[in-house]
Amino acid sequence: MVALRSRRLEGLFGAPLGEVSYAQIAAAVGTDALSESYDLEFKGELYGGNDKARRDLAGDLAALANTAGGALLLGVTEDEQARAAELPGVELGDREVLRIRSIVADLVHPLPTFDVRQIEDPSTPGHGILLIAVPRSPGAPHGVLINEGFRYPRRNGASITYLTEAEVSAGYQDRFARRQARHDDLVRYERDLTSRLDTSDQTYVVVTLVPDLSGDFTLDTKTLRDFRQDTLNKDLLVIPRGAYTRYATVGSRRLIAHGGDNPATARWLACELHQSGAGAFAAIASNRVDLASPGQVDENTTASRIEDEDLVLAVWSGLRLLARHARDRAAAGGTATVRATIVPVTTDLPAELRQPRGFGGTLGAYQVSDPPEATSVFDIDDLAEDGPGLIAATSTLAAGLIQHFGYPETLQMTTDGTIRAKYWSVQRYAADVQKWAAQADVTVTDDTVE
């Protein structure tokens, strides 16, 4: 379920919307505290199938997304003062959930993030409450298709009003400003982490994630203790390579972990995880001392020879670690903007892409002398869960880096969420990748790229 963080609603029901039970909702019904507001709407029945009912559903959901987010509770009636009065419930079923999703996809543009949760009445199987959770949307304003045009609803207390033309224009300007702010945050958080990396003889893949809707968590002694338990002396990669963290501490509004022998300088791998749910992750992609040419006077000026498997693993690991922080620690939900790069890459220190399988060799047409960059937007839940969604996202983002070298795609994974077994080295990764895929229910193929 989307992570809708609302202290007001959590206080009303006694639990986050993703965890609230039928009993908790039933206990709140009939009290003065539970009434319709800017973030809460009640419906005694399911939305009907005629055009008006479909528009009502689309408008109610878009209005929440355009305002402060909130919830629609289907199966709860209201009294004359808009207070939750009774709990008749509605028929539950996956078909109704799919119908709701289809209606919203057809009528609301751009499509906002939302989720539908079926909360069953323990005494009446197949009957209960449909809870539609809608976070405040960074993509606002969302328009509802009515006839040949769009109208833009928003909540005004317990009622709905519509944006004027000037307000719609201002809303689009805000959307573009928010997009630029997320890009600026990506660059800033990436820079914060890379400034602490020891790049004297190591080259890193860096992944940075910023949720489109920020979360939050309490940064206290218990949080630090739990973080240390999760990270200290651990290999943070999805497929372990033997690079362990040596330090776990706090910075300004962030948790910090990294490897190496110097508390102030990170080696091998590192992460900074912010209270907002944003974060940056780095993993070594090339050890230039090990790869330096024999007899070279200045071994650190050799090109960074980056193996494609190491690049893909770093992106894969960064996406999962950062998304789990955003979702599970900071309660951020919906989509996130993600950026990947390779550092350091300069004219004096170019990078080349290689593959270690068989006799090995270079991939792509040329070296790069500017840091390659790739940016995309993904659903946080897809990244946080082991499964095809994480693999598809890794393939997409890694390809954005690989293409800078003149090679068209990620060999180890595909954009439809499958793993290609033949492109993982038997000596290093193949067995562990196969084991992970079996546990994550990810398809592994023997396909090759022709």
Side-chain angles (χ1 to χ4, degrees):
M1 186 162 188
V2 297
L4 171 59
R5 190 69 181 268
S6 170
R7 287 187 172 87
R8 197 186 86 82
L9 295 181
E10 290 175 12
L12 290 177
F13 295 117
L17 293 185
E19 303 172 11
V20 65
S21 67
Y22 184 89
Q24 288 172 311
I25 295 175
V29 170
T31 66
D32 290 338
L34 193 62
S35 62
E36 288 189 338
S37 185
Y38 66 92
D39 59 355
L40 190 59
E41 174 84 8
F42 306 129
K43 300 289 181 184
E45 302 174 341
L46 297 174
Y47 288 92
N50 59 39
D51 288 345
K52 181 182 182 306
R54 287 164 52 88
R55 288 195 300 269
D56 287 345
L57 166 59
D60 288 341
L61 192 145
L64 288 171
N66 284 339
T67 311
L72 302 171
L73 295 182
L74 311 188
V76 179
T77 61
E78 61 187 281
D79 62 18
E80 294 179 354
Q81 283 76 46
R83 296 173 299 194
E86 296 180 352
L87 202 60
V90 294
E91 183 179 350
L92 304 179
D94 292 341
R95 179 177 297 180
E96 177 62 21
V97 174
L98 291 174
R99 189 181 77 93
I100 290 172
R101 290 193 175 280
S102 177
I103 291 171
V104 176
D106 286 343
L107 297 182
V108 183
H109 303 277
L111 181 64
T113 297
F114 71 99
D115 211 342
V116 185
R117 183 175 171 219
Q118 303 181 63
I119 305 176
E120 190 173 64
D121 179 350
S123 66
T124 313
H127 202 77
I129 300 166
L130 274 181
L131 189 158
I132 305 176
V134 187
R136 178 178 60 84
S137 176
H142 297 271
V144 177
L145 182 61
I146 299 176
N147 297 325
E148 299 299 321
F150 287 93
R151 298 191 71 187
Y152 297 82
R154 67 178 174 190
R155 301 285 294 187
N156 182 16
S159 62
I160 289 179
T161 60
Y162 291 88
L163 300 178
T164 65
E165 182 178 359
E167 289 170 331
V168 172
S169 177
Y172 277 107
Q173 292 176 359
D174 288 344
R175 181 197 291 177
F176 298 140
R178 288 191 295 269
R179 184 176 300 167
Q180 182 61 48
R182 289 194 295 276
H183 175 267
D184 293 344
D185 286 343
L186 282 171
V187 173
R188 176 161 53 92
Y189 296 146
E190 176 188 289
R191 185 175 60 244
D192 288 349
L193 181 62
T194 57
S195 67
R196 295 195 306 104
L197 297 177
D198 181 354
T199 59
S200 61
D201 60 2
Q202 295 185 353
T203 301
Y204 300 83
V205 172
V206 180
V207 181
T208 310
L209 179 149
V210 174
D212 291 344
L213 286 174
S214 297
D216 195 12
F217 67 94
T218 301
L219 186 52
D220 57 15
T221 302
K222 181 182 182 304
T223 302
L224 177 58
R225 182 171 63 247
D226 292 343
F227 178 66
R228 283 175 169 163
Q229 183 175 346
D230 293 339
T231 57
L232 268 181
N233 300 314
K234 302 287 179 63
D235 189 324
L236 303 182
L237 300 177
V238 175
I239 306 300
R241 290 176 54 191
Y244 297 97
T245 58
R246 295 287 301 276
Y247 296 95
T249 185
V250 299
S252 175
R253 296 183 57 80
R254 72 195 69 180
L255 296 162
I256 298 171
H258 64 77
D261 298 322
N262 187 335
T265 306
R267 287 179 62 82
W268 305 108
L269 51 80
C271 64
E272 292 191 357
L273 308 177
H274 297 259
Q275 280 188 263
S276 65
F281 170 88
I284 183 174
S286 174
N287 187 322
R288 301 193 302 276
V289 170
D290 292 345
L291 298 173
S293 301
Q296 187 172 341
V297 175
D298 185 357
E299 61 189 12
N300 291 335
T301 62
T302 187
S304 299
R305 301 173 186 174
I306 299 171
E307 294 185 354
D308 60 342
E309 297 174 25
D310 294 337
L311 183 153
V312 171
L313 177 59
V315 172
W316 184 8
S317 303
L319 288 176
R320 190 179 73 166
L321 182 143
L322 296 175
R324 289 183 173 181
H325 163 70
R327 185 192 67 177
D328 300 337
R329 186 178 287 114
T335 57
T337 305
V338 185
R339 169 182 164 105
T341 189
I342 299 173
V343 295
V345 176
T346 66
T347 302
D348 294 331
L349 183 62
E352 62 185 33
L353 186 65
R354 302 180 64 85
Q355 64 89 6
R357 300 167 294 280
F359 293 104
T362 301
L363 286 178
Y366 38 74
Q367 293 181 340
V368 296
S369 55
D370 292 315
E373 300 171 358
T375 304
S376 194
V377 177
F378 303 109
D379 187 276
I380 290 174
D381 283 336
D382 285 344
L383 303 181
E385 294 294 332
D386 286 345
L390 173 60
I391 296 301
T394 301
S395 177
T396 298
L397 196 63
L401 295 180
I402 289 169
Q403 288 162 3
H404 283 268
F405 296 90
Y407 198 82
E409 64 179 299
T410 307
L411 292 174
Q412 290 73 25
M413 301 173 174
T414 71
T415 53
D416 61 3
T418 64
I419 290 176
R420 295 189 184 112
K422 291 185 180 296
Y423 296 101
W424 292 99
S425 300
V426 172
Q427 298 89 340
R428 299 182 67 196
Y429 295 129
D432 288 334
V433 169
Q434 292 270 6
K435 180 179 178 181
W436 181 93
Q439 295 172 341
D441 197 24
V442 169
T443 300
V444 179
T445 73
D446 288 327
D447 295 347
T448 58
V449 175
E450 299 298 336

